[in-house]
């Protein structure tokens, strides 16, 4: 097990390293750049040259890359020029991460809590009207683009009916920040109105973001449970006179959940992509929001950190999925 | 992996609850009672398109940053609300010596910075020297100083600023190296606001460092101390909100709302929806397409006087056919600017006859725009032997500027006009910050659309920006016969101390540019707007987009 994990971690480092080179080269091959983003109409060739030199952007790309690696080895990822000028890019990432995690976790909880029970019920009553209805709902969930749904929810429930806030993460209540997880911070500092406000702001974006993972997890659960229900050992368990609860828990779900766990893991990675769009619609100041601003303003340092961090998170989630496999299914360990 | 596996989550929550004993709430209870009466709210919330980069205006370069710093800082000179004209602010009067090189400022008395530091002549000189003595990365960061004063203390010969002397408590004398129409007007710019010497020293204000591919800023840039109706209370980066509160040490009237909040909402349609939902009280630059809808919904669209210019730039160095005045005039006659302004620009926009709006001193009222005359364009082109010439004509994507709401549509209309007059147009488009601005300044396009919003009321801020620097300007006038003359005339005019004579000189230059030179084609002036909810009163729109919010009331 340990060897398996170490090998995977080494692979991970390799992937992120190669990606860092690709991202670095790609960003610098884009037309425009940090300097014109900062200077705008005021740019003269002289001011442009002076600023490029100050930022070290006038040197050959490979020199810039080597310097970047050298700094990265010391844990320095450069300084933001556009998102939060003067702030260390990694700190920008850390300060924006909680928003995205809060949103993704909320969406994932909504998706999983609804999808697994509904998937099980669907499989138990396959081809009943309830089952068909749920399948259609899940199809719609996959088909509708996230940002379209986000926009629709926002327009109907916030703009037209004022049920929820239009955008942002919290009302301006002067809340104390501890971890930047707003819901948690409110609990920590006993500013419960802050938590409530944060939750209220979370509802629409997380519902919008939950639709796709919900649909996918539901379908996989349904298919997987259907398959397991037909297995001999389930029939054996039932005929032994075990209670329905034990059969469901120990025999059906434990086996049926394997592919579901994989799917949840993969969907978590996909959530990041969806979060970028959702955050944009709801002005939810997380990673997605920072990515968009960083791209507009050609904030190289922040873009590099965000893209690499996103890749890193994706790879780590994959690793966790594999490990959880090993935990759930002993056969994996011996391979 | 049964549901029991969620236990850690539950545990975490419980742990969090039990830790509440350790985490102290730092909140003050509620807002202060000042500002806002029983019929008005005590907070004005404005939807900003971007976050302020920092709060020390010397290192600021963008409108979103200045919008915030303007509320917490004042300069020696201010701008009269609703106009582009200067008025006394921290200085009550300013008197030039006969040669225009030495200026005596009489200061307002009994003024304090928000930290209690007294404002006096010494503070003025401390500020001027502090800006002048920027070093290293600070010089690049102090973009506006470079732009308006030329250089720093390490190259005093190129600097407009020379020295500052505190004659007595309330008299400061500032010496400059050459006479220019821009001084002391430029002291009204936000970048050159007066800041507390005590706080500047304590916060190590000049400590800007280049690091990696950016600059790091000192502590002071997050904790500014100025003289303004408001002071910074909190910039909540995580929630993208900037909160300002009334500055009790301010010498002027108390602001009408005790709190001023900037909520950062990058997406324009979201800003509109927030206004509809009532969670913000106003935002800047609503899309002209939405003006009517916004007003129908009970909001007020405040149209600012146009203080900008959109022009079509031409580069005779890239395309030598443009060296012929007849070809450039053909372009001017070919463009149906009346129709473009009517169909594409907001109400109140006008066709431009010269490279500056009419509110700027030195504007020539007698000039008429080139009329739309495709036949004349054709015959001029034929006379120049350039019929069917290819003109590469660029426009920017992914941008909307106050003077150019929809670049692509404006461009498309002009392409039709040019083709009808016998040009072959080679259309190029580049993202605004993805090669377009670079392309213009590197001379990659034959023709392009660009514009300028004035910083203050001086012809030099428009004409000087475009044509003063002979060696480096977007129009490449160095390859045109008049380039040198124009550049010299502009510098001479700028140095005239007497305002009447100076205006006359500029009027003559405007006439020459329009009739004899035509280095590019001035297109239009477009009034930018801001929108506020129907409950908001007391907001005066500024042509410089430099609104102050202390006089704003929000009804309940």
């Amino acid at each position: 097990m340990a060897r398996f994990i170490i090998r995977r971690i080494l692979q991970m480092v390799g992937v992120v390293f190669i990606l860092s080179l690709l991202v670095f080269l790609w960003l610098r091959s884009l037309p425009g750049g940090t300097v014109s983003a900062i200077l705008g109409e005021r740019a003269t060739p002289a001011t442009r040259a002076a600023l490029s030199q100050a930022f070290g952007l006038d040197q050959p790309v490979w020199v810039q890359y080597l310097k970047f690696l050298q700094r990265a080895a010391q844990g320095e990822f450069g300084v933001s020029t556009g998102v939060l000028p003067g702030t260390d890019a990694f700190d920008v990432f850390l300060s924006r991460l909680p928003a995205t995690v809060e949103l993704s976790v909320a969406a994932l909880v909504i998706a999983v809590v609804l999808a697994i029970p509904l998937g099980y019920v669907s499989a138990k009553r396959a081809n009943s009207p309830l089952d068909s209805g749920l399948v259609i709902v899940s199809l719609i969930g996959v088909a509708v683009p996230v940002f379209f749904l986000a926009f629709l929810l926002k327009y109907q429930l916030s703009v037209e009916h004022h049920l929820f806030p239009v955008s942002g993460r919290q009302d301006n209540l002067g809340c104390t920040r501890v971890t930047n997880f707003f819901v948690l911070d409110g609990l920590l500092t006993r500013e419960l109105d802050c938590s409530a406000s944060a939750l209220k702001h979370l509802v629409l974006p997380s519902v919008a973001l939950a639709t796709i993972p919900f649909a996918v997890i539901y379908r996989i659960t349904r298919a997987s449970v259907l398959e397991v229900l037909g297995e001999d050992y389930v029939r054996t368990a039932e005929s032994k006179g075990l209670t329905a609860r034990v059969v469901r828990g120990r025999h059906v779900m434990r086996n049926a959940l394997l592919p579901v766990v994989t799917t949840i893991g993969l969907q978590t990675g996909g959530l990041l992509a969806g979060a970028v769009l959702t955050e944009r619609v709801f002005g939810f100041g997380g990673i997605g929001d920072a990515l968009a601003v960083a791209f507009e303003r050609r904030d190289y340092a922040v873009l590099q950190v965000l893209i690499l961090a996103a890749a890193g998170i994706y790879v780590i989630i994959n690793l966790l999925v594999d490990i959880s496999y090993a935990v759930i299914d002993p056969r994996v360990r011996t391979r | 992996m049964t549901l029991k596996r969620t236990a850690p989550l539950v545990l975490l929550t419980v742990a969090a609850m039990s830790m509440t004993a350790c985490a102290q709430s730092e909140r003050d209870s509620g807002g202060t009672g000042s500002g806002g009466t029983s019929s008005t709210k005590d907070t004005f919330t404005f939807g900003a398109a971007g976050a302020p980069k920092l709060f020390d205006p010397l290192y600021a370069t963008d409108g979103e940053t200045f919008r915030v710093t303007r509320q917490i800082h004042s300069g020696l000179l201010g701008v009269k609300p609703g106009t582009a004209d200067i008025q006394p602010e921290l200085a009550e009067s300013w008197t030039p010596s006969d040669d225009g090189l030495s200026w005596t400022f009489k200061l307002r008395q009994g003024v304090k910075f928000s930290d209690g530091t007294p404002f006096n002549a010494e503070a003025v000189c401390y500020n001027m020297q502090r800006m002048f003595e920027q070093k290293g990365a600070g010089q690049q960061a102090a973009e506006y100083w470079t732009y308006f004063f030329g250089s720093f203390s390490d190259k005093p010969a190129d600097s407009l600023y020379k020295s500052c002397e505190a004659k007595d408590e309330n008299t400061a004398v500032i010496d400059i190296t050459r006479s220019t129409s821009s001084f002391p007007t430029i002291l009204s710019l936000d970048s050159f606001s007066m800041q507390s010497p005590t706080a500047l020293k304590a916060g190590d204000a000049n400590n800007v460092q280049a690091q990696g591919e950016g600059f790091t800023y000192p502590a002071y840039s997050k904790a500014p101390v100025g003289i303004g109706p408001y002071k910074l209370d909190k910039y909540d980066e995580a929630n993208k909100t900037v909160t300002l509160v009334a500055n009790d040490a301010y010498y002027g009237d108390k602001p009408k709302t005790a709190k001023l909040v900037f909520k950062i909402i990058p997406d324009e349609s979201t800003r509109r929806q927030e206004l509809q939902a009532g969670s913000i009280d106003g935002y800047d630059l609503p899309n002209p397409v939405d003006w009517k809808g916004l007003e129908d919904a009970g909001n007020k669209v405040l149209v600012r006087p146009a203080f900008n210019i959109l022009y079509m730039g031409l580069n005779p160095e890239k395309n030598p056919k443009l060296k012929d005045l007849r070809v450039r005039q053909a372009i001017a006659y070919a463009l149906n600017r009346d129709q473009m302004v009517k169909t594409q620009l907001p109400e109140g926009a006008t066709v431009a006859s010269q490279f500056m709006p009419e509110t700027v001193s030195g504007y020539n009222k007698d000039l008429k725009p080139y009329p739309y005359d495709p036949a004349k364009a054709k015959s001029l082109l034929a006379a120049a032997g350039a019929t069917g010439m290819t003109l590469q004509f660029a426009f920017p994507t992914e941008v909307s500027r106050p003077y150019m709401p929809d670049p692509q549509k404006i461009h498309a209309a002009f392409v039709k006009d040019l083709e009808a007059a016998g040009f072959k147009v080679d259309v190029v488009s580049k993202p605004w910050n993805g090669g377009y601005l670079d392309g213009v300044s590197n001379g990659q396009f034959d023709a392009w659309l660009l514009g300028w919003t004035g910083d203050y009321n001086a012809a030099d801020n428009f004409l000087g920006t475009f044509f003063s620097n002979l060696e480096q300007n977007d129009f490449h006038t160095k390859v045109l016969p008049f380039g040198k003359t124009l550049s010299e005339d502009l510098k001479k005019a700028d140095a005239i101390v007497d305002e009447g004579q100076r205006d006359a000189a500029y009027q003559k230059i405007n006439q020459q540019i329009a009739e004899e030179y035509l280095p590019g084609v001035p297109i239009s002036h477009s009034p930018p707007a801001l929108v506020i909810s129907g409950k908001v009163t007391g907001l005066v729109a500024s042509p410089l987009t430099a609104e102050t919010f202390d006089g704003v009331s929000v009804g309940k």
Side-chain angles (χ1 to χ4, degrees):
Chain A
M1 186 76 182
R3 252 169 79 193
F4 159 77
I5 292 176
I6 288 167
R7 199 172 63 223
R8 286 297 309 268
I9 287 177
L10 286 176
Q11 276 174 355
M12 220 167 73
V13 172
V15 167
V16 172
F17 181 78
I18 290 165
L19 192 72
S20 79
L21 179 64
L22 291 177
V23 169
F24 197 90
L25 294 176
W26 170 68
L27 284 179
R28 277 152 188 77
S29 67
L30 289 172
T34 315
V35 173
S36 54
I38 291 173
L39 297 178
E41 283 117 331
R42 247 165 238 297
T44 65
T47 52
R48 194 186 285 272
L51 203 56
S52 292
Q53 201 185 353
F55 287 159
L57 293 169
D58 55 339
Q59 294 163 326
V61 173
W62 61 273
V63 173
Q64 290 183 40
Y65 183 63
L66 287 179
K67 284 196 167 164
F68 164 76
L69 281 186
Q70 202 181 346
R71 286 199 307 266
Q74 298 161 355
E76 298 248 341
F77 293 96
V79 172
S80 167
T81 54
V83 181
L84 285 174
T87 312
D88 184 81
F90 198 73
D91 291 342
V92 172
F93 164 70
L94 289 180
S95 72
R96 296 305 191 91
L97 184 66
T100 306
V101 171
E102 212 166 42
L103 177 61
S104 305
V105 167
L108 203 62
V109 167
I110 293 173
V112 170
V113 163
L114 287 175
I116 291 181
L118 287 175
Y120 179 80
V121 170
S122 259
K124 273 293 230 195
R125 306 189 189 174
N127 301 328
S128 67
L130 172 82
D131 177 39
S132 313
L134 284 171
V135 169
I136 289 167
V137 168
S138 75
L139 278 175
I140 294 171
V142 169
V144 177
V146 172
F147 65 90
F148 177 74
L149 183 75
F151 198 84
L152 208 70
L153 284 173
K154 178 168 83 161
Y155 197 80
Q156 284 303 326
L157 301 179
S158 306
V159 181
E160 293 284 312
H161 294 98
H162 302 319
L163 293 173
F164 292 102
V166 177
S167 74
R169 287 182 69 192
Q170 197 173 46
D171 295 326
N172 190 25
L173 305 164
C175 302
T176 315
R177 303 274 171 249
V178 185
T179 61
N180 275 348
F181 290 92
F182 286 8
V183 180
L184 185 67
D185 284 358
L187 296 173
L188 290 175
T189 55
R190 297 200 187 161
E191 293 165 354
L192 293 181
D193 54 335
C194 291
S195 284
S197 171
L199 280 172
K200 210 170 164 177
H201 281 79
L202 261 174
V203 174
L204 292 188
S206 56
V207 167
L209 187 54
T211 48
I212 289 180
F214 162 78
V216 175
I217 296 167
Y218 160 81
R219 295 299 300 263
I220 294 281
T221 310
R222 180 179 175 274
S224 178
V225 171
L226 266 178
E227 195 182 338
V228 172
L229 284 178
E231 294 279 359
D232 290 347
Y233 57 80
V234 175
R235 208 164 350 133
T236 310
E238 280 171 347
S239 52
K240 272 197 310 190
L242 293 174
T243 59
R245 226 187 95 207
V246 174
V247 174
R248 192 172 60 217
R250 194 171 300 170
H251 297 273
V252 177
M253 284 323 256
R254 187 154 183 176
N255 288 302
L257 276 178
L258 263 183
V260 176
V261 170
T262 315
T263 310
I264 292 174
L266 293 175
Q267 286 299 312
T268 311
L271 275 179
L272 283 175
V276 172
L277 299 169
T278 316
E279 282 180 14
R280 192 70 182 161
V281 175
F282 289 100
F284 206 83
I287 300 280
D289 195 78
L291 254 179
V293 175
F295 190 78
E296 273 163 28
R297 301 188 183 171
R298 296 288 191 274
D299 190 337
Y300 292 153
V302 171
L303 280 170
Q304 277 152 208
V305 167
L306 292 185
I307 294 170
L308 292 179
I313 291 171
Y314 204 94
V315 176
I316 288 169
I317 288 170
N318 271 331
L319 176 66
L320 291 177
V321 169
D322 287 355
I323 294 173
S324 67
Y325 246 66
V327 172
I328 299 174
D329 184 351
R331 286 171 305 180
V332 174
R333 269 172 267 181
T334 53
R335 272 178 214 155
Chain B
M1 192 68 190
T2 55
L3 288 180
K4 283 179 198 156
R5 302 256 167 182
T6 54
L9 245 182
V10 179
L11 271 177
L12 191 80
T13 321
V14 173
M17 294 290 238
S18 62
M19 274 164 62
T20 50
C22 324
Q24 279 292 314
S25 169
E26 297 163 16
R27 267 200 296 178
D28 52 353
S29 49
T32 49
S34 75
T37 61
S38 55
S39 62
T40 59
K41 286 198 219 164
D42 72 346
T43 306
F44 176 56
T45 308
F46 194 84
K53 292 186 172 169
L54 34 63
F55 300 94
D56 178 350
L58 176 62
Y59 301 131
T61 54
D62 68 298
E64 293 301 342
T65 303
F66 288 134
R67 196 198 310 279
V68 178
T69 61
R70 189 175 307 119
Q71 320 301 331
I72 52 184
H73 292 293
S74 302
L76 287 174
L77 278 62
V79 179
K80 203 162 149 217
T83 72
D85 304 329
I86 46 175
Q87 67 171 21
E89 197 155 282
L90 296 177
E92 285 175 336
S93 69
W94 43 93
T95 325
S97 59
D98 290 344
D99 58 6
L101 295 179
S102 182
W103 290 77
T104 303
F105 294 84
K106 287 278 177 213
L107 307 181
R108 191 185 284 272
Q109 297 186 23
V111 175
K112 281 191 165 57
F113 291 96
S114 62
D115 64 352
T117 306
F119 169 75
N120 52 27
E122 258 173 44
V124 170
C125 289
Y126 183 89
N127 270 280
M128 295 309 293
Q129 285 299 115
R130 176 243 164 168
M131 299 191 264
F132 183 52
E133 289 167 1
Q134 289 294 308
K135 305 224 172 358
Q139 295 190 355
Q140 266 85 46
E143 188 61 42
Y144 268 58
W145 179 276
T146 309
Y147 198 85
F148 293 103
F149 284 93
S151 72
F152 299 88
S153 56
D154 54 352
K155 288 190 191 138
D158 304 335
S159 167
L160 170 62
Y161 173 83
K162 189 173 170 189
S163 62
C164 175
E165 186 196 351
K167 275 264 189 278
D168 60 47
E169 188 73 357
N170 303 307
T171 316
V173 178
I174 297 178
D175 288 356
I176 50 177
T177 55
R178 59 189 163 82
S179 171
T180 167
S181 63
S182 302
F183 196 87
T185 310
I186 43 178
L187 293 178
S188 66
L189 294 173
D190 299 308
S191 278
F192 312 130
S193 300
M194 293 291 127
Q195 307 185 57
S196 161
T198 322
L200 287 169
K201 282 175 212 160
D204 201 11
N206 299 332
N207 189 9
V208 180
Q209 299 293 338
Q211 194 189 324
E213 285 146 3
F215 294 144
T216 55
Y217 300 96
Y220 177 81
S221 69
K222 287 198 168 83
V225 178
I227 301 167
Y230 290 98
K231 60 183 182 187
L232 179 65
D233 176 47
K234 192 174 178 186
Y235 173 22
D236 187 349
E237 285 168 7
N239 201 25
K240 301 198 300 178
T241 327
V242 180
T243 308
L244 309 183
V245 292
N247 166 19
D248 297 333
Y250 186 54
Y251 66 87
D253 295 339
K254 236 190 183 47
K256 294 265 196 306
T257 57
K259 257 193 190 167
L260 172 57
V261 174
F262 295 94
K263 194 171 172 187
I264 297 143
I265 312 163
D267 179 56
E268 205 240 335
S269 66
T270 308
R271 290 199 289 280
R272 196 175 67 238
Q273 293 167 338
E274 290 268 20
L275 184 71
Q276 265 170 289
S279 36
I280 61 173
D281 302 312
Y283 66 92
D284 201 355
L285 298 180
N287 193 327
V289 185
D290 299 327
W291 287 12
K292 198 176 171 314
L294 284 164
E295 281 185 324
D296 291 346
N299 302 298
K300 302 179 206 165
V301 173
L302 305 178
V303 181
R304 301 166 169 129
F307 203 68
N308 57 29
I309 171 89
L310 165 68
Y311 57 81
M312 178 170 164
L314 300 170
N315 181 351
E317 197 170 16
K318 168 97 177 15
N319 186 339
K321 287 206 166 71
L322 292 169
K323 285 183 182 171
D324 191 325
L325 174 64
R326 288 168 300 183
V327 172
R328 301 199 298 272
Q329 284 178 325
I331 294 173
Y333 282 116
L335 302 180
N336 191 345
R337 292 175 291 163
D338 277 315
Q339 188 177 353
M340 191 283 288
V341 167
K342 262 195 213 91
T343 55
Q344 300 201 31
L345 297 185
E347 212 168 309
T350 51
V351 174
S353 61
Q354 51 209 289
F355 276 91
M356 54 197 238
E358 62 180 337
T359 31
V360 179
S361 46
Y363 181 85
N364 188 327
K365 285 194 175 55
D366 304 330
L367 289 177
K368 291 279 170 289
Y370 279 73
Y372 169 57
D373 191 343
K376 187 146 190 186
K378 271 195 186 121
S379 64
L380 277 165
L381 207 55
T387 305
M389 73 172 270
T390 304
L391 184 73
Q392 179 220 35
F393 180 23
F395 72 91
T397 56
E398 297 170 32
V399 72
S400 166
R401 303 297 288 166
Y403 49 80
M404 177 168 63
D406 190 342
Q408 184 170 5
K409 271 170 75 181
I410 296 174
H411 184 270
F414 286 166
V415 168
K416 263 206 208 84
D417 291 343
L418 289 165
E419 283 172 343
F423 288 88
K424 273 203 184 65
V425 183
D426 170 15
V427 174
V428 182
S429 71
K430 287 252 164 73
W432 176 254
N433 175 32
Y436 188 78
L437 290 168
D438 297 15
V440 169
S441 64
N442 298 335
Q444 288 168 10
F445 311 129
D446 292 4
W448 66 92
L449 292 171
L450 199 61
W452 183 258
T453 299
D455 301 292
Y456 55 95
N457 187 348
D460 188 58
N461 187 232
F462 284 87
L463 302 181
T465 302
F466 304 140
F467 312 116
S468 253
N469 185 336
L470 181 61
E471 287 313 308
Q472 287 186 340
N473 68 52
D474 291 350
F475 299 85
H476 295 255
T477 50
K478 63 173 183 276
V479 303
L480 294 169
F482 61 81
K484 195 157 183 278
T485 320
L486 174 57
S487 156
E488 282 167 2
D489 286 351
L490 283 169
K491 284 177 186 148
K492 273 188 214 138
D494 180 47
I496 300 171
V497 180
D498 179 86
E499 208 167 325
Q501 285 176 20
R502 192 168 62 222
D503 281 2
Y506 276 122
Q507 284 182 28
K508 181 164 177 269
I509 294 175
N510 272 322
Q511 186 182 355
Q512 285 174 313
I513 291 176
E515 291 169 4
E516 301 164 37
Y517 303 161
L518 205 69
V521 184
I523 307 280
S524 54
H525 310 291
S526 182
L530 29 62
V531 57
I532 47 177
S533 98
K535 295 174 185 153
V536 176
T537 50
L539 180 54
V540 182
S542 150
L544 304 174
T545 65
E547 288 79 17
T548 47
F549 295 143
D550 49 315
V552 174
S553 303
V554 188
K556 277 186 179 148

